[in-house]
Amino acid sequence: MSKSRRPTVEPDGPTPASVIASGERAIAIDTQGGPFLGVASTGDHTTIVHVPAEELRPPATVDAPPGVVNLPGTHASFVGRARELALLDAALSGSGAAVVQALHGLGGVGKTTLAAHWAATRKDADNPVWWITADSPGALAAGLAALAAALQPALDRLPEEQLTKRAMQWLATHHGWLLILDDVTNPDDVRPLLPYADKGRILITSRLASGWHDTAAPIHLDILTPDEALTLLTRILTHDGSRPTADLDGAAELCAEVGCLPLAVEQVGAYMVQTGINPRAYLRLLAEDPAYMYRKAKERYDSERTIARIWAITLDRLTDTPLAGHILRVLAWYAPNTIPRALIDALGSAPAVVDAVGRLAAYSMITATEESLDVHRLVQAVTRAADPGDPHRQPHDIAQARDAAVTCLNTALPATVDDPARFAAWRVLIPHIDALAEHSSPNTDTLLTAYVICRAGAFLQHQWLNPLATPHLERAERGFTRMLGDEHPNTLAARHYLARAYQDTGDLSGAIQLYRRILDDYEQIWGPDHPETLNLHRSLAQAYATAGDLRSAVHMLERALAAQERLLGPDHPNALTTRHALADVYAKAGDLPTAINQYERVLTVSEQVLGPDHPDTFATRGNLAGAHVSMNLDKGIDLYERLAADQERVLGADHPGTLTTLSSLARARMLNRDLQGAIDLYERSLQARERTLGAEHPDTLLSRSSLGLALSAAGDMHRALPLLQQALDDCVEVMGADHPDTLTARSKLAEAHTRAGNKPQAILLCRQSLAEAERVLGMDHRDTATARHNLAVAYSLAGNAARAIRLYEQTLTDRIRILGVDHPSTRSVRVILAEAHASAHNYERAIPLFEQALAGAERALGTDHPDTLGRLRDLAATHLQAGNPTRAITLYERALNDSLRLLGNDHVNTLGIRSNLATAHQSAGNRREAIEGHQRVTADCQRVLGHDHPDTLGSLNNLANAHLQVGNRSRAIELFERLLTDCRRTFGTDDQRTSLVAANLAAVRGNRS
């Protein structure tokens, strides 16, 4: 039976609906039809924010409270940055169009410090001045929210999203604010703020160098200048001057070591203050364990702000481009500046390398141009310092990068070291090979490393930069020996290069010892008659010759030549080269006839085998002409002129060989006192080299300095000094301060100032030349001796004979020690020193030196050599000056007999000795012999040289004085009148020599009246 249903009852009014809440933590509220007047909340962490209704007004109606500023602390030791501060002032001052500036640069370069320092100057001009660390979108949002809260503190508990929106609305509706967005990593993060920049000013700092072209006007921030870095470190170490006794020794060097990077300077300064060490001690610690020091900071110092960590953060952002880290580690082994892109091309595909370089440049880790890359030296130093705790500097990754750098350098090496067309390519690579050698340990060298370093040494040696080549060659020789053994061809080749470097830098004992060792190896490996063994005999002989052991050199070269002609034939290039070397040794020994004979034999074979117009034949003719210049100047000039004509016909007027001959001919004409002829040739050579080689080619620079020296010799100082200064400046810029050509250019400029009588400037330049030569070439190099000689000449002309003599004596001592007592250079210096003593009237010192010089010449050259005759004449002249005319007469008579036998009656030297002998008789009171002697000399000069030759006029003057001395005034007046007429015709009325003769004549006439 079914249950009955209750009957439905109709109410008087509507029935209310049931109040139902469904779901977890749902709320059902019965308002009984009225308004909801309470707070309903749900959730475990629900926060109820009570905001006064009046604070929720539109942001446009909110005024900024006074002094809304949140800048970080500024550095009391802030230095420099005048340019950047002025740029910020100019760009972010005033009103008008929207201005957004982006300071970008390497991490640690001081972007944040500069921005804070500049913004602090805006506190009274702008409000608010608000600093936001904007290295992520979240950080930027938080910074904007903080700004909104600072503008309305009552809203500080609103959700961040709402505050951020209110801050942007406020910036969009107000003027006169300054916003600093620090360490922006992505330009897109700040792009929503840029439309409001016309209301206020926005300053951005970022490591990114790119991406700002449509966002902001970038200002690149570079490192401090050396002076600014030193000022910053000094302020830190002295507590801004409160500790004036702080030890600053080495501070400038330390600033340079950390690359003048502000953060690095601050880090090392703070560490030194805390630990109490000085800059020298810090440098030692840095050299001992760079990885430790780069990450070490003082206590309570933010470890994230050390130079090692700040760049690690940058590289963390590049982990999606692994090649970027590898490229940076490879670049760390090169020189910091002008790294050719070719040195990283092989590290990946072209697009991948371009992309990685672009990202590194975007974060200011490198600077990239179309052709090359630059890396801050401290970035390199940190990157090279292995640190197992840094994922970007793992030891195996750094070693891999070092080996990759070697491979890239090897790929880029030119095929030869002696091709002028490749010299420019070598000069680009050498700084990077030097850097690799400096920063890598020899213990880590591979065979490829040794090979690259050896090739670099060979090029430097070819450029006569042996002091720079020697360390490379020593390292390569040690590396090859360790890895390949003593007898491997690579080891022997490196050893041969090294021996030559020792020879060229003046270490002759080291060179000879090494040549002997190589010769023993060659004889054991290949036998005594192998071509390479015989060539090494030649090299050893040349070292003996340089050391002054000419007898051993000649003996060895003659034996090697005989073997080469027997085994290879007299026409073989090796035999011709050895005979040429033999001729060079004879020339060094002063045996010019034998040298000329040998050169002529080489020339004969060369003309037969190669032909008269072959470049090697021309080279031999040039050497032959040079030998004749030393013996018979007129013939040497004639040979040079004929050679120049043939070279111009065959090779062309602008060929380097032709121009070299023209320069040699110009030097010969200078020796022949044909200064205008020399100047004309130097000008022609210079113009041709400027036209064909360019204004900065080494040969062009050499021509410029040679022309300047010729002009100075001619007395045209107005043209000479600027030209020589330009040549020196160009040499420094093109080849560097240490290149031999630069040292020569400085020496020529000093010589010109000496000639011009600019005594202080001449001495200063000569001292600089000597200091540079000693530093670059060494104390014992021949060019150093030349520089010392030039300084002595400058002191002598300045009247400081004592200092000049000390320099000459030092040079003589060095020459005896290095070259031996009878070496030509030793003999030359001994004569110069003797002349200096004679000029200072130190006859008791001069006479023994001249006697030693004469004895040395007789031993080395024989009694019939022209140089021996010259030393005999010098000794006689010194005895005459010292008041020993009787001894002088004996020596002059001996010299006259030798000159008659060797040179003949009419040779200019014979005429000069006759004149000297007559003067000696005159001093001794031998009147008849004096007058007869002067009469004969005058007659011979008129016959041989002509009536107007200076020597003829000089002999006529001597004859007049001789007559005057014996009381024959009328005859003396007659001769002086004749001499005056000849001088006026030859030199002109206003010439100093003419005036002197006129004064003498007037004096004689006055005595008679």
Side-chain angles (χ1 to χ4, degrees):
M1 183 171 84
S2 64
K3 185 174 182 181
S4 62
R5 301 174 64 184
R6 290 183 63 186
T8 303
V9 179
E10 293 291 335
D12 293 338
T15 303
S18 301
V19 178
I20 301 171
S22 62
E24 185 179 356
R25 293 181 181 143
I27 299 176
I29 300 175
D30 185 359
T31 66
Q32 301 297 315
F36 174 63
L37 298 175
V39 176
S41 64
T42 183
D44 293 337
H45 304 290
T46 300
T47 301
I48 307 300
V49 179
H50 296 275
V51 177
E54 66 272 13
E55 294 293 339
L56 290 177
R57 63 187 185 275
T61 66
V62 175
D63 293 329
V68 179
V69 177
N70 75 330
L71 293 177
T74 57
H75 285 249
S77 297
F78 182 86
V79 298
R81 305 308 195 189
R83 182 186 72 88
E84 292 82 2
L85 289 171
L87 288 174
L88 290 175
D89 283 337
L92 293 174
S93 299
S95 61
V99 177
V100 182
Q101 291 293 123
L103 275 173
H104 68 87
L106 176 67
V109 81
K111 302 178 294 297
T112 298
T113 301
L114 173 61
H117 183 84
W118 179 82
T121 68
R122 305 288 299 175
K123 289 188 297 185
D124 298 330
D126 295 316
N127 189 42
V129 176
W130 200 253
W131 185 281
I132 299 176
T133 299
D135 57 355
S136 67
L140 176 59
L144 289 169
L147 171 60
L151 293 170
Q152 287 181 279
L155 304 182
D156 64 347
R157 299 187 67 191
L158 283 178
E160 181 179 287
E161 181 180 357
Q162 293 183 28
L163 287 172
T164 300
K165 290 180 179 179
R166 285 190 66 86
M168 294 182 67
Q169 293 169 357
W170 190 93
L171 293 172
T173 56
H174 290 77
H175 291 82
W177 46 264
L178 172 62
L179 200 61
I180 304 99
L181 307 178
D182 185 40
D183 199 19
V184 173
T185 60
N186 188 342
D188 290 338
D189 294 344
V190 301
R191 207 172 301 277
L193 287 169
L194 302 185
Y196 312 141
D198 61 338
K199 307 292 185 182
R201 298 291 181 261
I202 299 175
L203 173 60
I204 297 169
T205 77
S206 177
R207 302 180 195 189
L208 280 171
S210 60
W212 304 111
H213 62 282
D214 59 350
T215 304
I219 297 177
H220 175 68
L221 191 60
D222 208 342
I223 59 175
L224 298 172
T225 67
D227 288 343
E228 290 169 347
L230 180 59
T231 298
L232 175 58
L233 184 58
T234 301
R235 289 182 180 178
I236 295 171
L237 296 181
T238 62
H239 294 285
D240 285 322
S242 63
R243 292 177 60 239
T245 59
D247 185 357
L248 299 177
D249 180 44
E253 186 178 339
L254 180 54
C255 289
E257 186 65 27
V258 299
C260 298
L261 189 73
L263 177 63
V265 174
E266 292 174 11
Q267 179 182 331
V268 301
Y271 186 84
M272 284 189 289
V273 170
Q274 175 188 296
T275 58
I277 64 175
N278 59 26
R280 290 289 176 200
Y282 192 98
L283 283 167
R284 288 192 293 270
L285 293 174
L286 191 59
E288 182 177 329
D289 192 349
Y292 179 84
M293 298 306 295
Y294 290 141
R295 68 172 180 264
K296 191 64 179 175
K298 72 172 185 177
E299 294 297 329
R300 298 182 299 280
Y301 190 88
D302 184 359
S303 62
E304 295 297 300
R305 294 291 296 166
T306 62
I307 53 180
R309 182 58 188 146
I310 202 167
W311 292 329
I313 293 173
T314 299
L315 293 175
D316 287 343
R317 297 168 181 169
L318 296 174
T319 52
D320 58 338
T321 309
L323 184 58
H326 181 56
I327 287 177
L328 187 64
R329 286 187 289 272
V330 171
L331 293 175
W333 295 101
Y334 300 141
N337 300 319
T338 321
I339 304 170
R341 281 180 175 260
L343 291 184
I344 61 167
D345 283 347
L347 299 179
S349 67
V353 170
V354 169
D355 180 58
V357 167
R359 297 212 66 198
L360 287 168
Y363 279 93
S364 301
M365 296 301 286
I366 66 174
T367 302
T369 67
E370 185 176 352
E371 299 295 331
S372 64
L373 310 172
D374 293 341
V375 191
H376 189 275
R377 61 177 296 176
L378 190 56
V379 172
Q380 292 182 306
V382 172
T383 304
R384 286 193 308 267
D387 186 351
D390 186 341
H392 305 293
R393 295 188 288 142
Q394 293 297 299
H396 66 276
D397 289 336
I398 291 177
Q400 181 185 13
R402 181 190 62 234
D403 292 341
V406 173
T407 300
C408 293
L409 284 168
N410 179 64
T411 302
L413 291 181
T416 63
V417 301
D418 56 357
D419 180 4
R422 305 300 297 159
F423 286 173
W426 270 111
R427 293 189 183 107
V428 169
L429 294 176
I430 285 296
H432 305 296
I433 299 175
D434 289 345
L436 174 73
E438 177 184 355
H439 298 305
S440 61
S441 168
N443 295 329
T444 65
D445 285 354
T446 64
L447 282 175
L448 194 60
T449 308
Y451 176 76
V452 168
I453 291 176
C454 186
R455 292 285 308 282
F459 171 75
L460 291 168
Q461 184 179 71
H462 184 270
Q463 298 291 297
W464 292 97
L465 292 170
N466 286 287
L468 304 179
T470 300
H472 286 331
L473 296 173
E474 288 176 335
R475 177 165 173 172
E477 190 270 341
R478 289 194 300 269
F480 284 139
T481 301
R482 173 173 55 84
M483 290 178 277
L484 300 175
D486 276 329
E487 297 180 355
H488 192 276
N490 284 6
T491 306
L492 296 176
R495 203 168 282 157
H496 198 164
Y497 282 130
L498 180 58
R500 180 60 184 270
Y502 286 155
Q503 178 179 341
D504 290 340
T505 53
D507 184 4
L508 299 175
S509 61
I512 291 171
Q513 181 179 358
L514 196 52
Y515 275 133
R516 285 173 173 168
R517 178 182 174 186
I518 304 170
L519 183 58
D520 290 340
D521 292 337
Y522 278 17
E523 289 179 340
Q524 291 178 11
I525 298 170
W526 293 318
D529 290 338
H530 190 276
E532 291 298 327
T533 305
L534 295 175
N535 286 341
L536 193 63
H537 275 280
R538 181 175 64 234
S539 297
L540 177 56
Q542 289 171 320
Y544 278 131
T546 304
D549 189 354
L550 302 178
R551 185 169 301 176
S552 295
V554 169
H555 177 68
M556 183 170 287
L557 285 170
E558 287 178 340
R559 287 180 58 193
L561 177 61
Q564 287 172 326
E565 290 185 337
R566 172 173 52 83
L567 297 170
L568 305 174
D571 298 346
H572 192 277
N574 285 0
L576 292 178
T577 301
T578 301
R579 186 175 294 281
H580 197 285
L582 182 60
D584 291 340
V585 174
Y586 279 122
K588 283 184 178 180
D591 189 353
L592 292 174
T594 304
I596 289 171
N597 176 265
Q598 294 295 329
Y599 283 133
E600 288 175 341
R601 292 182 64 178
V602 174
L603 178 60
T604 299
V605 176
S606 184
E607 288 177 334
Q608 292 173 352
V609 175
L610 303 176
D613 294 338
H614 191 278
D616 288 352
T617 304
F618 286 150
T620 303
R621 289 176 61 185
N623 294 330
L624 178 61
H628 275 293
V629 164
S630 300
M631 186 172 182
N632 187 334
L633 186 55
D634 291 337
K635 185 170 184 178
I637 290 174
D638 177 64
L639 289 174
Y640 272 136
E641 288 175 340
R642 290 163 55 189
L643 173 60
D646 289 342
Q647 287 178 309
E648 185 171 352
R649 171 179 55 81
V650 176
L651 304 176
D654 293 343
H655 189 276
T658 306
L659 299 178
T660 298
T661 299
L662 288 180
S663 296
S664 298
L665 176 58
R667 286 193 295 272
R669 286 186 172 170
M670 283 188 68
L671 292 173
N672 203 36
R673 301 178 185 176
D674 181 8
L675 296 178
Q676 189 56 53
I679 290 171
D680 292 343
L681 287 171
Y682 279 133
E683 287 179 333
R684 175 182 166 189
S685 178
L686 175 59
Q687 292 168 3
R689 283 173 169 163
E690 286 179 336
R691 184 171 59 252
T692 59
L693 302 177
E696 295 183 347
H697 191 278
D699 289 350
T700 306
L701 302 182
L702 181 62
S703 287
R704 190 172 293 128
S705 62
S706 296
L707 173 59
L709 193 64
L711 289 168
S712 73
D716 189 352
M717 296 302 174
H718 179 72
R719 292 179 61 196
L721 292 177
L723 198 62
L724 288 166
Q725 184 65 59
Q726 178 191 350
L728 174 58
D729 294 342
D730 291 343
C731 283
V732 171
E733 180 177 354
V734 174
M735 293 177 287
D738 294 346
H739 194 278
D741 286 356
T742 304
L743 303 183
T744 300
R746 183 176 285 109
S747 179
K748 288 180 178 179
L749 178 60
E751 185 177 343
H753 276 291
T754 301
R755 282 200 180 107
N758 303 332
K759 298 173 185 177
Q761 182 71 4
I763 291 173
L764 176 62
L765 282 169
C766 287
R767 291 179 65 179
Q768 291 176 349
S769 295
L770 177 58
E772 290 297 309
E774 289 176 341
R775 181 179 61 82
V776 176
L777 304 175
M779 297 290 294
D780 297 336
H781 196 275
R782 57 180 176 271
D783 289 348
T784 304
T786 300
R788 191 176 293 116
H789 170 266
N790 290 342
L791 177 57
V793 171
Y795 277 129
S796 180
L797 292 176
N800 195 338
R803 296 196 70 171
I805 288 173
R806 284 199 298 271
L807 287 167
Y808 287 135
E809 287 176 341
Q810 179 185 346
T811 303
L812 178 59
T813 300
D814 292 342
R815 284 290 172 262
I816 293 174
R817 173 176 52 83
I818 299 166
L819 303 177
V821 294
D822 288 337
H823 189 275
S825 294
T826 307
R827 298 199 307 267
S828 175
V829 172
R830 185 181 288 113
V831 171
I832 292 171
L833 175 59
E835 290 172 343
H837 277 297
S839 297
H841 307 295
N842 302 329
Y843 300 116
E844 70 285 353
R845 185 76 180 96
I847 289 174
L849 284 168
F850 276 125
E851 289 174 341
Q852 293 171 18
L854 175 59
E858 289 175 338
R859 283 194 305 272
L861 306 175
T863 56
D864 291 343
H865 193 277
D867 284 356
T868 305
L869 179 60
R871 302 295 78 76
L872 181 60
R873 188 176 176 182
D874 291 337
L875 180 59
T878 307
H879 274 292
L880 183 59
Q881 294 169 16
N884 304 322
T886 302
R887 177 59 177 157
I889 289 170
T890 301
L891 293 170
Y892 276 132
E893 286 175 342
R894 174 184 164 188
L896 179 59
N897 291 331
D898 291 344
S899 187
L900 287 169
R901 185 179 71 257
L902 295 173
L903 305 176
N905 184 67
D906 292 342
H907 193 278
V908 63
N909 286 350
T910 304
L911 298 178
I913 294 172
R914 282 193 188 279
S915 179
N916 297 147
L917 178 58
T919 300
H921 278 297
Q922 187 174 336
S923 297
N926 303 329
R927 299 179 178 180
R928 181 178 59 81
E929 290 85 350
I931 289 177
E932 289 178 355
H934 285 307
Q935 285 177 335
R936 178 169 182 178
V937 171
T938 301
D940 288 344
C941 285
Q942 290 172 343
R943 175 175 54 82
V944 176
L945 303 175
H947 287 267
D948 295 338
H949 193 278
D951 289 352
T952 304
L953 300 178
S955 64
L956 186 60
N957 183 73
N958 292 336
L959 178 59
N961 281 319
H963 278 289
L964 182 63
Q965 184 176 352
V966 299
N968 298 335
R969 288 190 176 86
S970 59
R971 179 59 175 157
I973 290 172
E974 177 186 349
L975 292 171
F976 277 128
E977 289 174 342
R978 176 179 162 190
L979 177 60
L980 180 59
T981 300
D982 292 343
C983 285
R984 285 171 174 167
R985 182 180 66 253
T986 304
F987 303 129
T989 304
D990 297 332
D991 187 85
Q992 183 177 3
R993 289 163 291 188
T994 304
S995 299
L996 180 61
V997 172
N1000 291 338
L1001 176 59
V1004 174
R1005 285 173 173 167
N1007 288 338
R1008 183 178 63 178
S1009 62

